[in-house]
Amino acid sequence: MQSSFLPQRGHYKSLIVYQKAECIYDVTYMFAHRFLSKGDRTVDQMIQAARSGKQNIAEGCAASSTSRETEIKLYNVAKASLQELLADYEDFLRVRGLCQWELSDPRSIRTRKGCSEHCDSAFYRNSLQNSSEETIANIAITLIHQVDILLHRLIERAKKNFLEEGGIREQMTRHRLEYRKNNPK
């Protein structure tokens, strides 16, 4: 049995899903300030949706020590926030008559490969300085889809951990009974 029923978790910065969510935030921040008008509510909404995606991954990871339920809920909030952001990017492209790249488009194929290789937000901040609004929006869309898949896997792992280990109360009870067994009065 584990030596501690309350393992230290919360190392979210080492998670690829968090790193990619941070990339989404940075790309969205740059995109919104560069291509949307000041005073447009969409600026704040897009940035807040990107921030919510990133922050809820961090918070869910930290909560995992004491509550799988809270962990799973927060990861789902992150997914929902990023889906909202995805819709904003798709709306942006559609209403401006810009192209959302099809999966088979060579640009989309290159973008998926590039995004799968880069989890450092500085890479995107530096490499997208002179890119068009269409290109940046499609890169953000690609990153959102990748994070969505990673969040799905993270949620499945949290569910599996709950089934295998139980919740905090079950773990505490198991450890208390084991302690009593090994330390009779």
Side-chain angles (χ1 to χ4, degrees):
M1 188 170 282
Q2 272 182 310
S3 62
S4 172
F5 64 84
L6 194 58
Q8 289 303 306
R9 294 189 178 111
H11 306 291
Y12 62 90
K13 288 187 177 184
S14 65
L15 297 174
I16 291 172
V17 67
Y18 177 82
Q19 294 166 10
K20 285 190 176 290
E22 184 176 75
C23 295
I24 292 168
Y25 176 81
D26 288 5
V27 168
T28 300
Y29 187 90
M30 176 180 35
F31 178 89
H33 286 99
R34 201 164 136 200
F35 299 116
L36 297 173
S37 303
K38 284 189 187 222
D40 184 342
R41 277 183 34 124
T42 309
V43 172
D44 289 336
Q45 289 174 324
M46 288 180 75
I47 291 170
Q48 287 307 312
R51 181 185 180 280
S52 176
K54 178 176 80 73
Q55 298 303 98
N56 278 290
I57 293 168
E59 191 175 350
C61 191
S64 69
S65 291
T66 57
S67 176
R68 291 285 181 201
E69 178 185 1
T70 300
E71 175 189 20
I72 292 167
K73 284 180 180 179
L74 289 167
Y75 293 155
N76 273 302
V77 171
K79 278 178 69 72
S81 294
L82 293 173
Q83 288 301 307
E84 175 187 347
L85 181 60
L86 175 64
D88 283 334
Y89 277 113
E90 291 171 340
D91 290 347
F92 179 91
L93 292 170
R94 187 185 66 257
V95 299
R96 286 166 179 79
L98 300 171
C99 182
Q100 182 174 342
W101 302 337
E102 297 291 329
L103 285 176
S104 60
D105 186 312
R107 296 171 295 182
S108 182
I109 294 167
R110 281 191 308 275
T111 299
R112 285 194 309 276
K113 183 178 183 325
C115 288
S116 69
E117 294 171 352
H118 296 284
C119 297
D120 178 14
S121 60
F123 169 81
Y124 295 95
R125 289 191 311 272
N126 296 328
S127 64
L128 297 178
Q129 289 298 319
N130 299 313
S131 297
S132 70
E133 56 196 357
E134 181 179 294
T135 297
I136 296 173
N138 277 286
I139 288 169
I141 287 169
T142 300
L143 284 166
I144 293 167
H145 284 301
Q146 289 180 352
V147 168
D148 190 65
I149 291 166
L150 292 170
L151 277 168
H152 174 74
R153 291 178 187 160
L154 196 60
I155 291 165
E156 290 303 310
R157 188 174 77 208
K159 288 169 30 180
K160 182 178 183 274
N161 288 344
F162 174 75
L163 292 174
E164 291 175 355
E165 300 167 10
I168 187 68
R169 289 181 192 204
E170 290 172 280
Q171 292 175 40
M172 290 170 71
T173 299
R174 271 195 309 272
H175 283 274
R176 178 69 178 138
L177 291 173
E178 183 177 314
Y179 177 83
R180 285 181 180 170
K181 180 178 140 190
N182 294 330
N183 299 288
K185 289 186 180 187

